[in-house]
Amino acid sequence: MKKRLLALALSFTLALSASSCGKTEKSDENTVKIAYLPITHSLAVLEEAEELEKQSGLKVELVKYGSWAELLDALNSNRVDGASVLIELAMKSKEEGVGLKAVALGHHDGNVIIVSNDISSAADLKGKTFAIPHRQSSHNILLNDALATAGLKVDDLNITELAPTEMPSALASGQIDGYCVAEPFGAMGVDLGVGKVLFTSEELWEDSLCCGLVLTDKFIDERYDDAKSFVASYKTAGNSLDKETAKQTAKKYLNQSDEVLDTSLQWISYNDLDITEEAYNELAEKVKEYGLSDNPPSYADFVKNDF
Ligand code: ZN
């Protein structure tokens, strides 16, 4: 009896794995797996997913993650073909030998320095606690830029890394005095009345880079034509993201109120998502200046603009 049950279980398992294996192989041929976090900074890839299949038959499988660490792990181990990711995180992976290329920007501008209502200048941040999502981020660079306006450095305050979703409540409870993070979590702090905008990103760093669309070398090498149409269609999707389209896409994927999205989407744009050499080199300089890395990858090694 035991033997029969075992045999039955075994054949069931085999049947299951055969069918799921077949399915995976079949769907993989026409699918691009892209990792993202549910933030306004990844709207271009979310918008593209809707359009691409209609245009070219290529299907985008969006894989949602809850943190940059988990997303990066999937990207670095080729479990996805690409991601919308903080460009500094991808630069660090590239520096450590992971095969990745940045093929487009995620967005333009779109970050704010949020502070509690009793802080009125960068100088007031001295001795206070400030949250960023990750050391390898434009949020860290923007904090450094903001402090520089008052002759301060990050050593003059306490820096803490928090998950984006925790920042508005941490500000409300007084655990932190300010934060800079991907949107719409800055707008959420403003909407809740617990904080205000001290600087927008463009006031500190014109043409700032933040998120990038990154593809794995494996995907580009093995499926060059798919990568090419994916990138072209991604840029088209970015150009189509006016405020209203962006809001509709955000409402579908982000589970945020109209008020928060209206505030947040004022600060960001998605047109013309090419990564220029000039803007990238400025980023690389800041990465070195503020100690994120001594040896960021060169534009020629890391950015692919020639599909
Ligand atoms: Zn971003």
Side-chain angles (χ1 to χ4, degrees), residues 5 30 48 66 77-78 96 121 137 174 224 226 243 256 259:
L5 268 179
N30 268 328
E48 178 187 18
S77 57
N78 284 305
E96 288 165 0
S121 70
S137 69
Y224 187 84
D226 285 349
K243 296 277 180 257
Q256 298 285 348
E259 291 74 20

Side-chain angles (χ1 to χ4, degrees), residues 1-13:
M1 184 67 186
K2 234 182 182 175
K3 247 186 193 169
R4 265 178 62 197
L5 268 179
L6 199 68
L8 200 67
L10 189 67
S11 63
F12 185 64
T13 311

Side-chain angles (χ1 to χ4, degrees), residues 49-88:
E50 310 250 309
E51 294 300 322
L52 188 62
E53 195 174 1
K54 284 186 232 162
Q55 290 165 12
S56 69
L58 199 60
K59 190 173 168 5
V60 180
E61 183 185 333
L62 294 168
V63 190
K64 183 162 92 174
Y65 287 90
S67 72
W68 290 121
E70 290 169 284
L71 177 145
L72 205 67
D73 189 45
L75 181 67
N76 289 352
S77 57
N78 284 305
R79 275 185 281 131
V80 292
D81 300 312
S84 183
V85 60
L86 296 176
I87 197 160
E88 294 85 354

Side-chain angles (χ1 to χ4, degrees), residues 87-88 90-95 280-281 284 287 293 295-303:
I87 197 160
E88 294 85 354
M91 287 161 78
K92 197 73 185 170
S93 292
K94 175 74 185 176
E95 193 185 320
Y280 180 81
N281 287 343
V287 157
S293 164
N295 191 24
S298 70
Y299 183 84
D301 281 345
F302 181 57
V303 178

